[in-house]
Amino acid sequence: MNESFRSCEVLNDSFKTFAGAPRRPDGFVRADQSRRRGSSARTNGTARNPPNVSPMRTLLRAGRVVDPGSGFDGIADVLLNGAHVEAIGPDLDAPDATEVDVGGLVVGPGFVDLHSHVHSIAGQRLQAMDGVTTALDLEAGLMPIDRAYAEAAAAGRPLHYGFSASWGAARAQVLANIAPDASIDSGLAVLGNPQWQRSSSKQELTAWLSLLEAELAKGALGIGVLMGYAPATEPGEFLAVAHLAAKAGVPTYTHVRELVEVDPAIPVDGSVEVVAAAGETGAAMHHCHVNSTSGHHIDRVLATLDTARREGSRVTVEAYPYGAGSTAVGAAFIDPDRLRLKGLKPSSVVILETGERVRDEGRLRQLRQQDPGAPCLLEFLDETDPRDRGLLHQALAFPDAVVASDAMPVYWTDGRTESTEWPLPPGGTTHPRTAGTFAKTLRLMVREAAEWTWLEAFRRCSYLPSRLLDDVAPGARGKGHLGVGADADLVVLDPARITDSATYTDSTRPSVGVRHLYVAGVPVVSEGNLDTGALPGKPLRGEPR
């Protein structure tokens, strides 16, 4: 381990842990209590608009309202007025509102996905059916940030969207002279290029740090760091990123480099690196998909993170409920030699677009050379093995771990990654986590294991991820809770039926059980059916200090 990082094992205890962040006051009040309950338009569970009344006011009647911001869990009505929550309480009176009977259903703040590489209507519709109202690409980010936001706005989005400043793209521009184009496909293609994976000179470091600082000034939601794709770089470079983040008051979101158990020659253990940098700089540092980067070493990694948080380090963590990840086949950690270090084989790799399971090292090297940007699956845990399932459960159950999907684009054999048809045209492939992460987590943790209450589930899926963004994006403060004045981003789900449907072989099947989804007060899903005309998504952007 690099000596400069050994010295950071005693962490700065002057910074609040994520778990200790202040909660919002109780916002549950009745609307004008002098009014009697009126005769709102009501149709046995099907919403319709009263004549001559704007559809922007919606009354959700008699649902089980779960607000992780205040701790409320009980039967109440919710009145939406445009893009905000107007009132919550029993027997609300709003005769001019569209009324929807949600009796027997759970009503909560829409899920906020911090880790979605879905930059398409097609992919966001799958996420909408999974209960997501805000889908952010924070691990990888996009560059240039202005172009990323402009292109999303021009195409329209069903869900709110946002991006971090891309560490990988900034380094590729300086070290490999590769101009970024704010495209996920270009980003995947770059991952296997060794030119940007080396350490930087002092001048190069200054140059790409300057690019990141400029992206933050333009509204990036922090810095996304794909350290796992350049695992041999000098640890001091990561520390410099942490100092920049601390100075700018923004989080980092890191795909950590290899663990020392996997590669003893690694410059620094990936999880220790995040902890050390957070402790030394005071930056808020988010550890992405701890399940996939930790594998069979999850006990040690979670213990490292737990110790750091107890000592005051601002480290947060996310997980998803699958034993296979998805990336580009040219990624550094899919090199045959590195797979062996992980105890994996070429047959652990499946090419996404063709379904080919790689037969041997020769074929894997050929695929990596021919098309390093080709998306693939990497099986790191066996979901049929009870021990491995236990490790996935452990990652999700870790205190304050948030749920995040690492959703990937949908690919069709003709090269398309977008479709405005619904249901999606046949033949599309993706990772099942794109369609099913949140519903699967709810099935596993609430319905089957009964380890989470619904209040805890919404805390993990909505409240905690939103609070991670409060400092960098004040617009996030209205998300993740259901107090009066909160954003009208809500999911209404059937607690007995919520489940994932997507599989590795049929990956675009929408989840089941999301009955209604409102994004900025606009119904994107009604009675379980997606509205193909609804594109209410708005940008969530950072506000520089």
Side-chain angles (χ1 to χ4, degrees), residues 439 442-443 447 454 493-500 511-514:
L442 297 179
R443 171 173 63 81
R447 289 182 53 202
W454 282 111
L493 56 87
D494 185 333
R497 296 184 66 236
I498 187 71
T499 189
D500 54 310
S511 293
V512 173
V514 170

Side-chain angles (χ1 to χ4, degrees), residues 57-250:
R57 281 167 61 85
T58 304
L59 180 61
L60 304 179
R61 180 73 77 188
R64 178 181 174 180
V65 175
V66 178
D67 176 19
S70 66
F72 179 85
D73 181 353
I75 305 301
D77 301 337
V78 181
L79 179 62
L80 309 181
N81 188 352
H84 297 94
V85 175
E86 180 177 320
I88 299 178
D91 299 329
L92 296 182
D93 187 18
D96 60 341
T98 298
E99 185 169 326
V100 184
D101 187 343
V102 294
L105 304 177
V106 172
V107 181
F111 304 145
V112 176
D113 189 356
L114 298 176
H115 191 159
S116 173
H117 305 297
V118 167
H119 308 146
S120 67
I121 293 171
Q124 283 205 354
R125 283 175 172 169
L126 287 177
Q127 292 210 272
M129 296 298 291
D130 201 35
V132 176
T133 53
T134 301
L136 309 172
D137 189 337
L138 302 183
E139 178 224 30
L142 290 178
M143 183 178 176
I145 202 77
D146 281 346
R147 178 172 174 180
Y149 278 108
E151 290 184 353
R157 292 287 183 263
L159 312 179
H160 302 310
Y161 54 90
F163 315 98
S164 68
S166 176
W167 171 89
R171 295 183 93 254
Q173 180 169 323
V174 172
L175 302 181
N177 198 30
I178 299 173
D181 64 358
S183 164
I184 180 65
D185 293 327
S186 298
L188 287 171
V190 168
L191 290 182
N193 187 326
Q195 295 181 56
W196 73 275
Q197 297 171 6
R198 62 177 174 83
S199 296
S200 309
S201 68
K202 183 177 181 180
Q203 292 76 19
E204 289 168 336
L205 175 63
T206 299
W208 60 254
L209 285 173
S210 178
L211 290 177
L212 292 176
E213 192 168 17
E215 294 286 88
L216 293 174
K218 294 176 182 177
L221 294 168
I223 304 171
V225 185
L226 293 177
M227 182 60 69
Y229 294 84
T233 55
E234 166 58 40
E237 295 188 24
F238 184 74
L239 194 60
V241 172
H243 278 294
L244 172 60
K247 175 184 174 183
V250 304

Side-chain angles (χ1 to χ4, degrees), residues 219-465:
L221 294 168
I223 304 171
V225 185
L226 293 177
M227 182 60 69
Y229 294 84
T233 55
E234 166 58 40
E237 295 188 24
F238 184 74
L239 194 60
V241 172
H243 278 294
L244 172 60
K247 175 184 174 183
V250 304
T252 66
Y253 317 90
T254 303
H255 178 142
V256 300
R257 67 176 98 211
E258 297 286 14
L259 304 180
V260 69
E261 293 93 338
V262 173
D263 184 1
I266 203 75
V268 60
D269 178 89
S271 294
V272 170
E273 180 173 38
V274 169
V275 165
E280 181 167 331
T281 67
M285 308 199 77
H286 186 67
H287 189 307
C288 295
H289 45 41
V290 70
N291 54 306
S292 67
T293 54
S294 302
H296 289 98
H297 306 288
I298 191 71
D299 283 330
R300 196 274 295 171
V301 170
L302 293 181
T304 299
L305 300 177
D306 185 57
T307 299
R309 298 194 315 163
R310 290 178 185 277
E311 294 178 354
S313 187
R314 300 175 66 193
V315 177
T316 54
V317 65
E318 70 181 46
Y320 60 77
Y322 294 90
S326 186
T327 186
V329 73
F333 52 85
I334 296 185
D335 177 84
D337 295 334
R338 290 200 170 273
L339 287 180
R340 280 197 299 274
L341 290 172
K342 292 176 177 285
L344 303 177
K345 302 176 180 178
S347 59
S348 302
V349 179
V350 179
I351 303 303
L352 196 61
E353 293 181 82
T354 63
E356 176 188 355
R357 183 176 291 277
V358 181
R359 63 180 180 270
D360 54 36
E361 289 190 6
R363 177 57 175 160
L364 180 55
R365 294 184 194 280
Q366 181 185 36
L367 289 166
R368 285 167 58 83
Q369 183 176 11
Q370 286 178 347
D371 187 4
C376 68
L377 299 177
L378 175 63
E379 298 170 344
F380 56 87
L381 291 175
D382 182 357
E383 294 179 51
T384 66
D385 180 270
R387 178 175 177 270
D388 282 7
R389 284 202 310 273
L391 295 176
L392 287 174
H393 180 93
Q394 192 174 349
L396 289 167
F398 183 67
D400 296 335
V402 304
V403 180
S405 71
D406 198 1
M408 296 295 286
V410 182
Y411 297 91
W412 282 270
T413 54
D414 61 4
R416 286 182 300 152
T417 57
E418 177 64 293
S419 174
T420 57
E421 296 181 42
W422 187 264
L424 294 180
T429 58
T430 186
H431 192 294
R433 66 193 182 197
T434 302
T437 289
F438 290 86
K440 182 174 183 178
T441 300
L442 297 179
R443 171 173 63 81
L444 292 175
M445 302 302 288
V446 181
R447 289 182 53 202
E448 295 180 3
E451 183 155 344
W452 291 352
T453 63
W454 282 111
L455 194 62
E456 180 67 6
F458 278 96
R459 182 172 169 270
R460 304 289 195 113
C461 297
S462 306
Y463 184 81
L464 290 179

